[in-house]
Amino acid sequence: MSRDYLGEDDLIYNTSSRVPVCLCLDTSGSMYDCIDELVEGVNAFYKAIREDEVASKACEIAVVTFNSSVNVIENFSTIDKKTDITSLRADGGTNMGEGVTKALELLEERKNEYKNNGIEYFQPWLVLMSDGAPTDRVKSVQKKTMEMSNNKKLSVFCLAIGEYSDTDVLGGFSKRAVLRLKGLKFKEFFEWLGKSVSVVSNSKVGETIKLDTTELSEFSEI
């Protein structure tokens, strides 16, 4: 169950153009040894958004976790509605297909709410992180996600964790190259993600935006 709920008032009183970002995180049993670093990384992302005045009003974050089941840990809201995540539990299998499906559903629902309230929004972001192979079916949601990415309806960032992560499967979700995390540098990745969201937030809807990728090699391999 989500820890918070975003009501319509947020779309009435805050008319900033939005950047919806959904974190879709593997919390299967194999993530046990790095789950604390993952939590630290998510909170570093929150911190980066809080520190940018424009992004704090524009960026809306949702967090979906998947193991043997799927949970919406955080529903979409701006950073002022959120507190740091204290813990995540690593347990069970890797229902990646169900996790990404839920993430896409949340993004679609939020886009409709923007439209209904006359709020402009930037291309939504999906951040998918996993350390293994899926234990459910992923082909149909891979196809949908890839089509959205190719049609510039969705920006997808896939991060492979550890030596046993299935980069071929992750690569099926987006035309963008899969990043393989170096060690446990979750915090560095999420700090970069926060900077990138800030760049988008400070832009205009519809304009071409080029993200700074010079720091990627510091915490990941392509």
Side-chain angles (χ1 to χ4, degrees):
M1 182 179 294
S2 170
R3 297 191 308 168
D4 57 23
Y5 171 76
L6 182 60
E8 292 299 306
D9 284 352
D10 296 85
L11 298 180
I12 295 173
Y13 297 112
N14 176 7
T15 58
S16 301
S17 299
R18 298 301 208 277
V19 187
V21 180
C22 188
L23 308 180
C24 191
L25 310 176
D26 182 350
T27 56
S28 59
S30 56
M31 288 286 291
Y32 180 82
D33 289 337
C34 63
I35 200 70
D36 290 341
E37 286 79 10
L38 175 59
V39 170
E40 181 183 4
V42 173
N43 290 333
F45 178 49
Y46 284 8
K47 182 175 184 290
I49 300 302
R50 286 192 187 100
E51 292 177 347
D52 186 296
E53 183 177 356
V54 176
S56 66
K57 296 179 180 178
C59 178
E60 293 192 338
I61 305 166
V63 181
V64 174
T65 61
F66 58 91
N67 41 52
S68 294
S69 60
V70 173
N71 291 287
V72 180
I73 302 300
E74 293 278 358
N75 212 329
F76 278 112
S77 68
T78 47
I79 198 66
D80 60 305
K81 303 293 191 302
K82 297 189 184 300
T83 57
D84 283 357
I85 293 176
T86 56
S87 65
L88 292 173
R89 181 181 178 183
D91 187 32
T94 310
N95 285 6
M96 185 186 298
E98 290 184 22
V100 176
T101 297
K102 173 54 71 174
L104 295 182
E105 288 175 358
L106 292 180
L107 285 166
E108 190 62 30
E109 289 171 3
R110 198 62 186 140
K111 286 193 300 180
N112 289 333
E113 289 168 352
Y114 295 152
K115 293 172 184 176
N116 291 338
N117 286 274
I119 299 293
E120 289 189 313
Y121 61 91
F122 295 90
Q123 189 174 139
W125 288 28
L126 171 66
V127 180
L128 174 60
M129 305 177 68
S130 178
D131 75 334
T135 51
D136 63 348
R137 297 180 180 180
V138 299
K139 286 188 177 180
S140 61
V141 72
Q142 278 180 322
K143 181 180 179 181
K144 181 177 181 178
T145 307
M146 181 68 79
E147 288 176 351
M148 292 177 70
S149 176
N150 289 338
N151 293 327
K152 298 183 178 180
K153 300 293 185 182
L154 182 69
S155 290
V156 184
F157 299 85
C158 294
L159 191 69
I161 303 165
E163 60 180 312
Y164 300 111
S165 54
D166 195 326
T167 54
D168 289 337
V169 169
L170 289 174
F173 287 96
S174 173
K175 60 183 179 181
R176 181 179 279 111
V178 175
L179 303 175
R180 182 181 291 279
L181 191 70
K182 290 181 179 179
L184 297 177
K185 294 189 175 183
F186 291 96
K187 184 177 179 181
E188 289 83 351
F189 167 74
F190 278 109
E191 286 175 343
W192 172 83
L193 190 71
K195 293 176 186 176
S196 300
V197 171
S198 293
V199 169
V200 175
S201 301
N202 284 275
S203 305
K204 293 181 179 179
V205 174
E207 76 175 332
T208 301
I209 303 168
K210 185 173 178 60
L211 301 179
D212 184 359
T213 59
T214 56
E215 295 181 18
L216 291 180
S217 61
E218 297 179 11
F219 54 78
S220 66
E221 301 170 353
I222 298 178

